[in-house]
Amino acid sequence: IELAGGDSSRAVALFQEARRDTDKSPKLVKQIEYWLGRCYRQQGRSEQEVQAYRRAVSIPPIDDPMPREALGDALFRQGRYDDALTQYQVIATESRPATMLQKTRLSIIAMSRRPAIGRNWEGIESDVEALVVRLPDEPVAQLLKMKLLMIRGRLEDAATFLDSLCEQHPDQ
């Protein structure tokens, strides 16, 4: 309630107190750590945010998507793309569209940052194609495909793909 009302400092104090007073139920502690992370995000305290989410994901079940996605997003905002990608890879089997899109986006960023000689795009290309098929009306999936084609230097393919999208969706 305090967090929703905008008083994240009060919410942090309440969550920290609850964490001390809890009967150490792992499920409850996990939720407290997650919400502490949300408070720290609202306060702009990114390192404390990451630490809270890391504590949350360390409590079983470790593949719980909510705190892991939050950790991945926090790491992404810090520019720690490889670390963020690791978090999304853990939960990618969830098959949630937003998770898959973010994982693929991070994969493209991470691969782009490698030296050209060490890049292997095959897995990423497969992921992008699967997203486009699975989410044909999702603009982010289409944009990821365009970005990948352009990064790979396949500008004609990117233009052809864009033309086909325009034909399929003339009203957009």
Side-chain angles (χ1 to χ4, degrees):
I1 295 172
E2 299 293 338
L3 180 60
D7 189 355
S8 59
S9 295
R10 176 80 177 125
V12 166
L14 291 172
F15 283 127
Q16 289 174 336
E17 184 179 332
R19 184 176 55 196
R20 282 189 302 273
D21 294 342
T22 186
D23 62 354
K24 300 299 179 194
S25 157
K27 186 175 181 177
L28 181 58
V29 173
K30 184 181 199 85
Q31 290 175 357
I32 289 169
E33 293 296 349
Y34 169 79
W35 285 105
L36 272 170
R38 296 281 306 264
C39 291
Y40 291 138
R41 178 179 180 189
Q42 190 172 25
Q43 294 175 339
R45 297 165 59 186
S46 65
E47 201 50 49
Q48 288 91 342
E49 174 189 7
V50 167
Q51 290 171 5
Y53 292 145
R54 283 197 191 281
R55 288 189 301 268
V57 301
S58 71
I59 299 168
I62 60 172
D63 60 346
D64 183 359
M66 195 163 67
R68 195 159 298 272
E69 276 186 39
L71 176 57
D73 288 344
L75 292 166
F76 179 79
R77 285 191 305 280
Q78 289 182 342
R80 297 164 60 184
Y81 304 119
D82 291 336
D83 293 336
L85 177 58
T86 299
Q87 300 307 315
Y88 275 90
Q89 287 171 330
V90 170
I91 56 174
T93 56
E94 284 279 308
S95 299
R96 292 178 48 205
T99 302
M100 294 303 297
L101 289 166
Q102 183 69 339
K103 176 203 168 268
T104 304
R105 178 175 174 228
L106 289 167
S107 296
I108 291 169
I109 291 169
M111 189 64 67
S112 296
R113 295 169 49 107
R114 292 184 182 168
I117 195 128
R119 294 180 186 165
N120 181 352
W121 293 99
E122 290 176 15
I124 296 171
E125 286 177 338
S126 296
D127 289 348
V128 169
E129 287 301 324
L131 283 173
V132 169
V133 169
R134 182 169 177 229
L135 308 168
D137 297 324
E138 173 58 57
V140 175
Q142 313 304 328
L143 290 172
L144 287 173
K145 181 170 181 173
M146 292 278 299
K147 183 174 186 170
L148 182 59
L149 289 169
M150 290 171 32
I151 289 171
R152 299 289 317 270
R154 296 170 48 192
L155 301 180
E156 286 185 32
D157 291 341
T160 301
F161 182 66
L162 179 59
D163 289 341
S164 72
L165 288 175
C166 291
E167 288 175 12
Q168 292 171 15
H169 307 282
D171 55 327
Q172 294 182 356

